[in-house]
Amino acid sequence: YDYLNAFYRKDRKWDKLIILQKKWTENLQNDYQKVAPYASIAETYLFKQSNKDDAIEYFEKVLAIDPKYINAIEHLKKLYTENDDIEELIGVQQKEAALINSVDEKVDRLKSLVLLARTKANNTGLAIKLLNLILECSPTDKDAFEALNMFIPKEESKNEAKSDSAPKSDADSKSDPESEDSPKPESSKLATVT
């Protein structure tokens, strides 16, 4: 393996190198032994073949085994940003936030992801998931609690609207948070959509 690995690198035979590394990795018994070869395959795809899709696949395999592999996280953040794949970018940044020891720093990072989920990905469900993570870290976080209270009724009313196409009665519109007559909750920074 080592001889062929060096030979293919020297002769710049990237396809053959990748095939060799994949076959060698298949024979490894322990998943953690696969991390370095997967990272090498991903970097070969990325830097030697400019194949971003396959590089992403192998960096994701690395993180599936070792979520603390910072190099894979950094490459994926860059690749997802270049591909404008905001939801995948948020997923990787969420994995990165999980590595932060300071509760305040972790909460701040998750709050920035909530805003990204709302403004760029326009994904309320993802924003709610992130808000729940904030509240797991810091159960008394006022911004997260307020934003969550604003989002959940909206999500529930969307689901009800899909299942109930009948017109609303006056009683229904008074309890509807989207109704013009309903009192509006105080705005939260995390719930703001620009």
Side-chain angles (χ1 to χ4, degrees), residues 152-165:
I152 289 177
K154 289 180 183 179
E155 278 297 297
E156 288 173 356
S157 67
K158 283 182 190 176
N159 292 336
E160 288 173 8
K162 289 178 184 174
S163 65
D164 182 23
S165 59

Side-chain angles (χ1 to χ4, degrees), residues 42 57 79 108 146 157 169:
E57 176 186 346
L79 289 165
D108 286 345
E146 287 176 0
S157 67
S169 69

Side-chain angles (χ1 to χ4, degrees), residues 170-190:
D170 287 339
D172 289 338
S173 65
K174 288 179 183 173
S175 64
D176 182 0
E178 297 294 316
S179 169
E180 292 177 22
D181 298 332
S182 299
K184 301 289 185 244
E186 198 172 304
S187 178
S188 168
K189 292 180 274 186
L190 296 176

Side-chain angles (χ1 to χ4, degrees), residues 5-178:
N5 190 1
F7 175 76
Y8 291 147
R9 285 181 187 280
K10 182 181 176 217
D11 284 0
R12 299 175 184 251
K13 296 185 178 189
W14 308 122
D15 289 333
K16 290 184 178 187
L17 176 64
I18 289 171
I19 291 168
L20 174 71
Q21 289 177 324
K22 285 180 180 181
K23 285 182 180 179
W24 184 70
T25 305
E26 287 172 9
N27 294 322
L28 297 173
Q29 301 293 323
N30 182 333
D31 279 347
Y32 280 97
Q33 292 175 323
K34 297 178 181 181
V35 170
Y38 281 166
S40 178
I41 292 168
E43 289 175 353
T44 302
Y45 275 130
L46 182 60
F47 298 120
K48 304 301 182 185
Q49 294 188 322
S50 298
N51 182 337
K52 292 180 181 181
D53 292 337
D54 287 336
I56 288 171
E57 176 186 346
Y58 276 86
F59 283 128
E60 286 288 0
K61 285 183 177 195
V62 169
L63 285 186
I65 297 168
D66 183 1
K68 296 179 181 181
Y69 200 90
I70 299 298
N71 195 33
I73 289 172
E74 292 302 321
H75 283 301
L76 285 170
K77 284 174 24 182
K78 183 176 184 215
L79 289 165
Y80 287 138
T81 299
E82 289 173 2
N83 289 350
D84 201 30
D85 194 340
I86 302 303
E87 290 185 18
E88 293 294 336
L89 174 62
I90 291 170
V92 170
Q93 289 181 329
Q94 185 180 339
K95 290 175 186 175
E96 183 180 44
L99 303 176
I100 299 172
N101 291 324
S102 164
V103 172
D104 290 340
E105 287 179 36
K106 185 180 291 191
V107 166
D108 286 345
R109 180 72 58 89
L110 289 170
K111 284 181 179 181
S112 71
L113 296 180
V114 169
L115 293 174
L116 193 59
R118 290 296 296 139
T119 59
K120 298 288 186 181
N122 197 23
N123 186 332
T124 302
L126 180 57
I128 289 170
K129 177 183 171 189
L130 293 164
L131 288 166
N132 281 318
L133 288 174
I134 291 170
L135 291 173
E136 285 176 20
C137 295
S138 178
T140 59
D141 189 282
K142 184 180 175 186
D143 289 337
F145 186 73
E146 287 176 0
L148 193 58
N149 283 330
M150 289 176 64
F151 287 147
I152 289 177
K154 289 180 183 179
E155 278 297 297
E156 288 173 356
S157 67
K158 283 182 190 176
N159 292 336
E160 288 173 8
K162 289 178 184 174
S163 65
D164 182 23
S165 59
K168 293 182 180 185
S169 69
D170 287 339
D172 289 338
S173 65
K174 288 179 183 173
S175 64
D176 182 0
E178 297 294 316

